[in-house]
Amino acid sequence: MTQFSSDNPARAHRFSLANDGSGLEELSGWRAYPRVQQPTWPDEQELATVFDALRAAPPLVFAGEVDVLRSRIAAAASGEAFLLAGGDCAETFADATADRISAKIRTILQMAAVLTYGASVPVVKMGRMAGQYAKPRSSDEETRDGITLPTYRGDAVNSFEFTQESRRPDPQRLWRMYTTSAHTLNLLRAFTGGGFADLREVHSWNRGFAATPAYKRFERLAEEIDKAIRFMDAIGADFDALKVVEFYSSHEALLLDYEEALARIDSRTGEVYGCSGHFLWIGERTRQLDGAHVDFMSRLRNPIGVKLGPTATVDDALALIDRLDPDREPGRLTFVTRMGADRIRDRLPALVEGVRDAGARVAWMTDPMHGNTITSSNGYKTRRFDAILDEVVGFFEVHRELGTVPAGLHMELTGDDVTEVLGGTDHIDEAALEKRYETLVDPRLNHQQSLELAFLVAEMIAATSPSRPS
Ligand code: PEP
Ligand code: MN
């Protein structure tokens, strides 16, 4: 969701959609392919009713915004910008409150401010927000004390509570996903367009963070940024213009019924856009070349991400490029690697080289979360801060060695003071996990850990990237 300046490209776009959805028939081609990770909806008729309601509802994002984001990602792929995506593993309806949403936006803006300074390029801000309500799961069922129920697949599908009724997939939840995404986007657009994102304000929050005793080591970087802002002020930079920032929404396009229902045709060009969010990605578990997700996403005009885990081969990557980015269009395709800290230095180089040598121009992002998930001795699904940081460092090292571009970071984080990830300067230990472990799926960096990571990465980029254009 972007606040555009006067030449708002979104204005040039009108979506056409007859009530019967005509023009979008081809989009349902995915239904002929094997589909994985889809709920078994108990009532197909109810699903069809919700589908029709979603299809008749206004789009959540607009083609012009999506096109601008594609151009921003193209800039990141060539080193002229840097992507920062962050948010919950799984958003929940209950947590779509003003306080929690604003804390998340604030955290991402704070991280972006330091990364902008470190990288000396614009940071493209994306929330894993306003649509991240569906989760792929390793098992269809969960057993507790001898009782087996369908697994929790995210608030878009069922409820976390372990009862027969709660775990039953309910298509009405797709409607709630739409309305909750709309509420979240509304707040996001208001915050990022209404002064909340003022760089001076964001920097003063960061100064507060860097001045706390535990994070004293970042004070120097905060002072440098301070100096840069005073310099901008002195030369007459228009800070009022900087109050308005572009901020995009992204989520895993997992539930294809929902994604299809929210696709719209841009009447200017006749092209099809997924209008549930600006950037949509295919997960590690749903990227089968001959599967429904790849087919569906190949038909959309949005910038698309694909997660690549440690088993991904160069051939997999090249075949995905052929399916999803046959024209080799800059900004169209982003590979989000999630290898694990202990594997990234082994696995990433061949992929990056293979893709580069084939002439494809994808953006490479690192997701340092999903390859580093462990279980603590007291039974929590967690991650170590150091492993997360190490995967980011490895990602930059690999690209530096190859002379290729590390285009961005994809993080699971929250703006709240949860205790879900081990370590960081606050030394969250296994016992502390019990204090405030709130995630329903994967552990997130809390507010402090997110900022700490951003400062560490900014320091590293500033110290080691002579090749970045300044
Ligand atoms: C996720 O991003 O929450 C996720 C499930 O990731 P992956 O597809 O990489 O496992
Ligand atoms: Mn996750």
Side-chain angles (χ1 to χ4, degrees):
M1 62 281 18
T2 311
Q3 299 296 328
F4 291 105
S5 51
S6 51
D7 59 338
N8 185 346
R11 285 204 196 107
H13 294 261
R14 297 262 181 290
F15 286 110
S16 65
L17 189 63
N19 280 341
D20 60 0
S22 58
L24 288 170
E25 295 83 0
E26 282 184 14
L27 205 53
S28 61
W30 65 268
R31 295 175 189 276
Y33 293 88
R35 57 187 91 165
V36 289
Q37 296 287 345
Q38 303 303 293
T40 311
W41 302 104
D43 184 341
E44 286 288 331
Q45 190 47 49
E46 204 181 355
L47 177 64
T49 304
V50 174
F51 183 94
D52 291 345
L54 288 169
R55 181 149 265 189
L60 293 173
V61 302
F62 297 92
E65 299 175 317
V66 173
D67 290 339
V68 174
L69 176 59
R70 200 186 321 97
S71 72
R72 302 284 186 253
I73 296 175
S78 62
E80 291 148 36
F82 191 73
L83 308 171
L84 173 64
D88 303 298
C89 175
E91 290 179 285
T92 62
F93 298 151
D95 279 353
T97 63
D99 285 351
R100 293 203 180 224
I101 293 166
S102 64
K104 233 177 296 175
I105 297 169
R106 180 176 152 144
T107 305
I108 295 169
L109 292 172
Q110 286 184 262
M111 294 173 77
V114 278
L115 289 170
T116 304
Y117 183 78
S120 298
V121 291
V123 170
V124 182
K125 295 165 272 294
M126 271 195 271
R128 253 182 92 108
M129 281 171 81
Q132 183 53 24
Y133 292 106
K135 298 309 299 172
R137 302 312 303 257
S138 46
S139 168
D140 284 343
E141 293 179 330
E142 183 183 346
T143 301
R144 288 190 204 172
D145 302 329
I147 299 169
T148 299
L149 294 176
T151 195
Y152 172 64
R153 290 189 171 274
D155 275 13
V157 175
N158 54 7
S159 163
F160 186 73
E161 202 192 343
F162 195 71
T163 66
Q164 186 83 44
E165 182 48 29
S166 297
R167 289 293 174 92
R168 179 181 164 276
D170 176 1
Q172 295 300 335
R173 287 178 164 270
L174 296 177
W175 180 256
R176 184 117 187 251
M177 171 181 185
Y178 168 77
T179 55
T180 314
S181 298
H183 300 160
T184 305
L185 274 169
N186 181 50
L187 209 53
L188 221 159
R189 290 180 192 275
F191 279 144
T192 53
F196 187 75
D198 187 323
L199 178 64
R200 289 162 300 185
E201 187 72 11
V202 173
H203 177 59
S204 79
W205 300 331
N206 276 346
R207 275 197 70 86
F209 164 79
T212 49
Y215 301 99
K216 266 265 186 269
R217 66 165 289 199
F218 300 127
E219 227 179 357
R220 228 194 79 209
L221 187 56
E223 266 161 26
E224 281 177 31
I225 299 175
D226 221 36
K227 233 168 134 181
I229 290 179
R230 286 205 304 274
F231 172 73
M232 286 167 69
D233 202 12
I235 61 167
D238 183 355
F239 280 103
D240 279 340
L242 292 175
K243 279 184 183 172
V244 173
V245 299
E246 291 179 17
F247 202 117
Y248 297 95
S249 67
S250 70
H251 65 265
E252 177 173 353
L254 184 69
L255 300 176
L256 295 178
D257 288 295
Y258 178 82
E259 299 300 336
E260 183 186 343
L262 277 171
R264 301 288 180 269
I265 296 171
D266 177 5
S267 68
R268 199 193 51 157
T269 61
E271 290 175 317
V272 179
Y273 288 74
C275 291
S276 60
H278 298 105
F279 179 90
L280 304 174
W281 78 83
I282 306 176
E284 166 74 355
R285 294 179 182 79
T286 51
R287 62 175 170 78
Q288 299 80 12
L289 276 174
D290 53 358
H293 288 81
V294 168
D295 177 79
F296 176 78
M297 299 287 268
S298 72
R299 299 170 192 266
L300 299 183
R301 192 72 189 95
N302 304 53
I304 301 292
V306 183
K307 295 281 202 89
L308 295 179
T311 60
T313 63
V314 176
D315 285 347
D316 292 338
L318 296 180
L320 283 163
I321 292 167
D322 281 341
R323 288 298 311 279
L324 295 168
D325 183 23
D327 301 329
R328 310 292 193 259
E329 183 187 16
R332 161 68 173 173
L333 188 59
T334 300
F335 281 142
V336 185
T337 61
R338 27 89 87 222
M339 302 286 170
D342 52 348
R343 281 171 295 193
I344 184 156
R345 292 169 182 83
D346 289 341
R347 304 292 160 97
L348 187 60
L351 282 183
V352 174
E353 277 179 315
V355 167
R356 179 195 61 192
D357 294 348
R361 294 190 284 179
V362 306
W364 292 98
M365 279 182 106
T366 177
D367 160 0
M369 314 301 292
H370 290 89
N372 296 308
T373 311
I374 55 172
T375 303
S376 67
S377 62
N378 49 351
Y380 287 91
K381 189 178 187 187
T382 186
R383 294 163 173 151
R384 291 186 195 288
F385 183 89
D386 287 347
I388 293 167
L389 179 64
D390 189 31
E391 179 150 0
V392 177
V393 171
F395 174 76
F396 276 89
E397 281 171 10
V398 168
H399 282 288
R400 199 177 314 125
E401 268 160 39
L402 296 174
T404 48
V405 177
L409 283 178
H410 178 115
M411 311 297 301
E412 285 186 345
L413 57 81
T414 166
D416 302 313
D417 297 327
V418 299
T419 57
E420 299 171 1
V421 168
L422 296 168
T425 300
D426 276 353
H427 301 298
I428 292 175
D429 58 14
E430 293 201 338
L433 295 177
E434 283 166 22
K435 284 194 207 146
R436 215 180 142 183
Y437 190 96
E438 296 180 1
T439 183
L440 298 189
V441 188
D442 287 340
R444 305 157 295 178
L445 294 177
N446 64 24
H447 177 70
Q448 301 281 95
Q449 289 170 326
S450 302
L451 295 186
E452 186 175 350
L453 187 109
F455 270 91
L456 290 168
V457 173
E459 274 183 353
M460 177 186 71
I461 307 177
T464 58
S465 68
S467 61
R468 274 188 179 274
S470 54

